[in-house]
Amino acid sequence: MATQKKKKTEDPNNKVVASNRKARHNYNIVDTYEAGLQLMGTEVKSLRDGGVNITEGFCQMYGNELWLEGINIAEYGRGSWTNHQARRRRKLLLHRYEIDKIAQKLNETGYTAVPLRIYFSNGKAKAEIALATGKREFDKRHALRERQDNLEAARAMRYKNLG
């Protein structure tokens, strides 16, 4: 009797809402963290609709807490007077030792914390935060050239194998 593969169904509670593809181009990623987001109700509904832009986002320390700034969560269309502000500061929920480690790196010269993606995990909004250092212009060009060379090599191998 042949075994049948189960069809994977996408769980609506586990989905990526927004990703920051420019961050991997502009920064060298040193370390990543998963952080919870402290949100209002209409912000969660707007996230589920996909109304978020994180390309200009960054993280900053205020007191002993890490905050996410610069992201734009659009106002919820069917919200009333309880609607949220689109560009407000949002608190990141991390363990104390993670916050201390990030704060120590942010105090050093050259490090920044940027959001890589926002997603839902088991119904809770999460953000993937990266500690990063900025790339120089020639590093960006080198990475693009290396990617292009790899694509051309793979294309040549594919044509050679076709015979």
Side-chain angles (χ1 to χ4, degrees):
M1 185 172 179
T3 59
Q4 292 181 352
K5 287 187 177 179
K6 288 188 177 180
K7 201 176 202 183
K8 286 188 177 181
T9 57
E10 189 174 316
D11 187 6
N13 290 329
N14 296 330
K15 71 173 191 172
V16 175
V17 177
S19 60
N20 188 357
R21 293 174 40 175
K22 266 186 149 180
R24 295 198 188 270
H25 176 71
N26 292 332
Y27 299 101
N28 290 319
I29 306 300
V30 176
D31 203 4
T32 60
Y33 299 92
E34 179 184 65
L37 286 170
Q38 186 175 355
L39 301 173
M40 297 174 63
T42 54
E43 287 176 320
V44 175
K45 291 178 181 182
S46 184
L47 277 179
R48 290 197 189 279
D49 288 345
V52 63
N53 183 5
I54 65 170
T55 55
E56 297 173 1
F58 62 96
C59 300
Q60 198 164 13
M61 292 293 297
Y62 288 104
N64 290 329
E65 298 173 337
L66 190 64
W67 294 81
L68 183 60
E69 294 190 39
I71 66 169
N72 184 11
I73 298 178
E75 288 189 1
Y76 185 57
R78 293 177 290 281
S80 60
W81 58 274
T82 59
N83 233 341
H84 63 278
Q85 295 175 355
R87 285 190 165 271
R88 71 177 187 90
R89 225 186 300 163
R90 290 158 181 99
K91 186 176 177 180
L92 291 171
L93 307 173
L94 290 159
H95 291 284
R96 172 57 47 198
Y97 67 90
E98 291 175 326
I99 293 174
D100 292 341
K101 191 185 294 186
I102 293 171
Q104 181 182 5
K105 285 291 187 181
L106 289 179
N107 285 334
E108 294 179 19
T109 305
Y111 283 95
T112 186
V114 292
L116 294 180
R117 63 188 180 122
I118 293 180
Y119 58 96
F120 282 100
S121 176
N122 295 325
K124 296 190 177 13
K126 304 280 185 178
E128 185 178 8
I129 305 299
L131 267 174
T133 58
K135 280 187 184 177
R136 293 200 171 104
E137 196 63 37
F138 65 86
D139 290 335
K140 294 177 191 178
R141 285 193 303 267
H142 178 71
L144 288 174
R145 190 177 314 116
E146 187 175 304
R147 182 174 177 264
Q148 186 66 32
D149 291 344
N150 289 340
L151 285 173
E152 288 176 7
R155 188 176 299 124
M157 292 298 289
R158 189 171 56 238
Y159 286 135
K160 182 182 177 199
N161 290 336
L162 289 176

